[in-house]
Amino acid sequence: MHKYVIMGVQGCGKGTQDKLLADDFDLVHISVGDIFRWNIQHHTKLAARIRRIVDDGHLVPDDIVADIIHARLAEHDWNFGFILDGFPRNRPQAEFFLESYDIDAVIDIDVPDEVVLKRVLSRRLCSGCGLDYNLIHHRPAVPDRCDVCGGELVTRADDNADAVRKRLTDFHTQTKPVLDLFARKELIVNVDGTRTIEEVQGEIRTRLGLPPLGELD
């Protein structure tokens, strides 16, 4: 069983990297962002509060995040392990997590702020099927239209320069100290996230002692 946490500021490529790991090693991918978006799409009681917070470029409060993650992990559907994206984001959350779960490693994807800003502002989301695009690496065949369903590509409400800069500030002031805590536990695996998807994934697997890409095919 493998239990990993993947960390890095929004736009560093966590979603791509953790999906590659999850698919190859049968890990349950648990994304805080995905859980929040599901609540918003399904108009749950939590949705209105989350939307206001996220649209303002803020992180969701600790108590909400901790309760959501605790409930999700309590489902125990992760027979081969999990990879957790978006939690913990500050020291109280990290201490809660370490007290509750034994983890194998924390993958830290490091990307400079200016690269993150460029990546995030290039993101688009299909208003029809929800497929993600990034105009740097994944342009649609027809501008502003989804290749799959033809739906209009839109920018997420929180993908604007002011909100991104606020999230970067939050990350450096709140989340970076979490990495120091994990480093003292000798759990950190640092990876340069500015390279290609395959190069980043290759280094992650090497550092974790996992088979290379393609070896399990």
Side-chain angles (χ1 to χ4, degrees):
M1 179 180 290
H2 303 292
K3 291 176 284 185
Y4 302 123
V5 172
I6 190 164
M7 299 186 69
V9 71
Q10 188 173 21
C12 74
K14 296 192 304 294
T16 300
Q17 298 301 331
D18 56 29
K19 186 177 188 305
L20 289 171
L21 288 173
D23 288 349
D24 266 5
F25 301 101
D26 293 322
L27 306 179
V28 173
H29 175 217
I30 301 174
S31 165
V32 173
D34 287 349
I35 294 172
F36 290 162
R37 283 187 285 273
W38 185 92
N39 277 273
I40 290 171
Q41 290 168 3
H42 290 81
H43 307 288
T44 66
K45 293 180 180 179
L46 194 60
R49 185 178 181 188
I50 291 175
R51 184 182 291 278
R52 286 196 302 270
I53 294 168
V54 172
D55 285 353
D56 287 340
H58 298 292
L59 296 175
V60 178
D62 296 347
D63 57 340
I64 295 178
V65 178
D67 287 347
I68 288 173
I69 291 301
H70 183 75
R72 179 63 186 86
L73 289 172
E75 294 179 21
H76 290 290
D77 57 345
W78 30 278
N79 296 328
F80 297 98
F82 60 77
I83 182 162
L84 181 57
D85 175 1
F87 184 91
R89 289 184 291 196
N90 55 48
R91 190 180 183 90
Q93 290 177 358
E95 291 173 343
F96 156 81
F97 189 69
L98 287 173
E99 288 173 0
S100 305
Y101 302 95
D102 293 323
I103 56 174
D104 298 302
V106 177
I107 305 161
D108 173 31
I109 302 180
D110 187 32
V111 177
D113 288 0
E114 60 271 18
V115 175
V116 168
L117 185 62
K118 182 179 179 180
R119 286 182 179 180
V120 173
L121 296 183
S122 298
R123 295 196 305 194
R124 298 295 184 272
L125 183 70
C126 176
S127 57
C129 66
L131 186 65
D132 283 310
Y133 288 81
N134 190 297
L135 302 184
I136 298 175
H137 302 296
H138 182 195
R139 289 180 176 273
V142 177
D144 301 321
R145 289 292 169 183
C146 177
D147 293 337
V148 176
C149 73
E152 181 184 5
L153 300 186
V154 298
T155 302
R156 291 176 182 168
D158 57 330
D159 279 357
N160 61 77
D162 289 341
V164 175
R165 291 190 180 98
K166 177 65 173 65
R167 291 199 296 270
L168 285 167
T169 298
D170 286 340
F171 178 78
H172 291 306
T173 58
Q174 298 181 31
T175 309
K176 276 292 188 182
V178 175
L179 297 174
D180 295 334
L181 177 62
F182 285 137
R184 288 198 293 274
K185 302 288 186 180
E186 299 184 345
L187 294 169
I188 290 286
V189 171
N190 297 106
V191 180
D192 177 4
T194 62
R195 296 167 299 165
T196 67
I197 291 171
E198 293 75 16
E199 288 172 335
V200 174
Q201 181 70 193
E203 182 177 354
I204 289 173
R205 295 190 183 204
T206 297
R207 299 286 301 280
L208 295 177
L210 299 174
L213 270 170
E215 189 170 300
L216 299 178
D217 294 343

